[in-house]
Amino acid sequence: MEQDERGLARSREPAHLLWLALFATAPVTAGDDALVVLSWGGAYERAQQAALFAPYTAATGRQVSVQQYDGGLEGLRRAVASGEVPWDLIDMTRSQAMAACDEGLLEPVSPALLAPAPDGTPAEADFLPGSFGRCAITHSIFATVVAYRTDAFPGRRPTRIGDLFDQRRFPGPRALQDTPAVNLEWALLSYRVPREELYRLLSTRRGLDLALERLDALDEIHWWQAGDTPPRLLAEGEVVMASGYNGRFFDAMVNRGAPIEILWDGQVQEHETWAIPRGGPHPEAAREFLRFATDTERLADLARHIPYGPARRSATVQVTTHPESGVDMRLHIPTHPLNAERAMTKDETWYARTRSRIQALFRDWRARRESQ
């Protein structure tokens, strides 16, 4: 779901599963009644300002103060333990919200506080499956995708996720996120492993070895952590293919004219949520904002500014064009049928169960690769 977008995301797990990353801790300069939100910066935050924060202030008179968040739970753990939580809301991935909820770091939230659809459909029937957690509400669906330079491969274009690993037909450096998540899935997809078998195979040492062997065969990998890095590396020609968040790539393509295209095959979708930290200063105002920011109109407007799929069906059908460029945003959201044909959903429960082991294995592999 930035340093230049988010989306998102974060990485929209923008910096997803980077569990040692810290919360931003810059002092809040707005008034004591301001709602303090942790978000991802860049184009994503600009979209939120236009679609959510400014309209909320206009409707309620309450200011919104936004601070930068790069993923992780350490800062939240320290704040809750100290009893001095400075934030009211956190825009975080569902996997992070699940982990934080299990640790008692978030307030419970109920679907009952959400607004119905314009036609009266209850929120629980309007939201996509999996949108409601014990402590978080999904607002958007973002995707980690591969993008490539359109001028890097004369006469041909990548068409499937396996092309990420085909250095004979598509030579040149790659940029990949410094995390096992998504990289392992793509590596096995390049062997033509069926999507429904991915996590079963990754639960075995044979499957993990196959995935790491495929990654190890890549000649040159630029590892990234900040979500603005892959579009920058592509735009500057330092790499020819890169993983990243679809919204960041859209921003580079449409708003900055970068010569890149998204390869939607193999996109890995994730949920981005709103969560309320335990012990935050304005819990009732936070719930009021959550209701406001997840209604049909707000979610449709957010998707018009940044191409993440709304979590509400009623909002999806209202998505139209980008306000500045006039681009049809429906063609750029991950959940559009043309883009989602070969999509997969990240198994966050599997990662929650195996996170420590998989992270350690990935770190050891990285260390061996760099020592060679």
Side-chain angles (χ1 to χ4, degrees):
M1 66 198 178
E2 284 164 76
Q3 282 76 5
D4 203 324
E5 185 258 339
R6 185 311 193 267
L8 268 242
R10 173 285 211 183
S11 227
R12 261 193 252 27
E13 152 219 267
H16 306 103
L17 294 179
L18 298 179
W19 297 92
L20 297 181
L22 301 180
F23 285 80
T25 55
V28 178
T29 57
D32 290 342
D33 289 336
L35 204 65
V36 182
V37 176
L38 282 179
S39 189
W40 301 87
Y44 180 63
E45 184 182 323
R46 292 194 295 273
Q48 290 181 311
Q49 289 284 1
L52 307 180
F53 302 151
Y56 174 77
T57 298
T60 66
R62 187 185 292 271
Q63 296 295 315
V64 178
S65 175
V66 186
Q67 296 184 23
Q68 184 97 5
Y69 174 56
D70 290 322
L73 298 181
E74 290 301 319
L76 180 58
R77 291 187 184 109
R78 290 196 300 269
V80 171
S82 72
E84 298 180 359
V85 178
W87 317 292
D88 295 297
L89 286 138
I90 308 174
D91 187 328
M92 62 199 315
T93 62
R94 184 171 63 176
S95 58
Q96 291 170 327
M98 290 167 61
C101 188
D102 288 345
E103 293 186 34
L105 303 176
L106 301 176
E107 297 285 350
V109 292
S110 169
L113 68 85
L114 303 177
D119 66 357
T121 300
E124 290 176 272
D126 192 32
F127 275 75
L128 298 175
S131 293
F132 304 127
R134 187 159 49 92
C135 304
I137 303 292
T138 296
H139 59 78
S140 302
I141 311 297
F142 73 95
T144 302
V145 296
V146 168
Y148 60 91
R149 282 191 64 97
T150 55
D151 58 359
F153 316 112
R156 64 181 65 182
R157 296 283 179 90
T159 59
R160 59 186 184 88
I161 195 61
D163 293 337
L164 174 66
F165 302 94
D166 188 343
Q167 297 174 106
R168 181 184 61 82
R169 297 176 63 233
F170 304 103
R174 272 64 165 160
L176 298 176
Q177 190 174 11
D178 189 10
T179 172
V182 180
N183 291 322
L184 297 179
E185 288 92 324
W186 284 344
L188 290 189
L189 286 175
S190 73
Y191 290 110
R192 308 292 181 118
V193 174
R195 282 162 172 72
E196 59 272 17
E197 295 295 323
L198 284 177
Y199 292 103
R200 183 192 64 78
L201 187 55
L202 284 174
S203 298
T204 69
R205 186 59 195 232
R206 174 175 172 269
L208 290 168
D209 286 344
L210 280 172
L212 294 176
E213 179 181 320
R214 185 67 99 193
L215 289 165
D216 211 21
L218 290 173
D219 293 333
E220 184 178 354
I221 302 175
H222 295 246
W223 297 102
W224 62 267
Q225 295 183 357
D228 62 337
T229 301
R232 177 182 60 79
L233 292 175
L234 281 172
E236 295 175 358
E238 293 188 43
V239 301
V240 297
M241 302 178 76
S243 69
Y245 307 126
N246 74 283
R248 290 182 185 267
F249 288 135
F250 174 88
D251 180 55
M253 293 158 53
V254 173
N255 297 329
R256 290 178 279 159
I260 62 178
E261 290 288 344
I262 289 175
L263 173 64
W264 287 104
D265 183 60
Q267 62 150 305
V268 180
Q269 295 183 357
E270 296 182 59
H271 287 222
E272 193 69 13
T273 74
W274 286 116
I276 300 173
R278 180 181 171 191
H282 307 110
E284 291 310 311
R287 286 179 168 80
E288 176 187 67
F289 174 85
L290 199 158
R291 178 183 174 88
F292 177 88
T294 58
D295 75 15
T296 296
E297 182 181 0
R298 292 301 105 217
L299 290 185
D301 197 30
L302 182 63
R304 286 191 286 267
H305 285 81
I306 197 85
Y308 296 129
R312 299 187 79 132
R313 296 177 178 88
S314 60
T316 299
V317 299
Q318 293 189 18
V319 176
T320 55
T321 57
H322 190 253
E324 284 82 30
S325 67
V327 169
D328 187 345
M329 297 299 279
R330 292 170 296 183
L331 300 178
H332 292 273
I333 61 176
T335 50
H336 188 282
L338 292 177
N339 300 332
E341 184 178 359
R342 293 181 58 79
M344 60 173 294
T345 300
K346 182 180 177 184
D347 190 334
E348 292 156 335
T349 301
W350 184 85
Y351 272 105
R353 186 176 67 249
T354 65
R355 183 176 65 249
S356 297
R357 178 172 63 88
I358 299 301
Q359 290 280 37
L361 184 70
F362 186 77
R363 284 195 304 269
D364 290 346
W365 168 76
R366 282 283 321 275
R368 289 195 303 273
R369 177 183 169 92
E370 292 172 5
S371 67
Q372 294 174 357

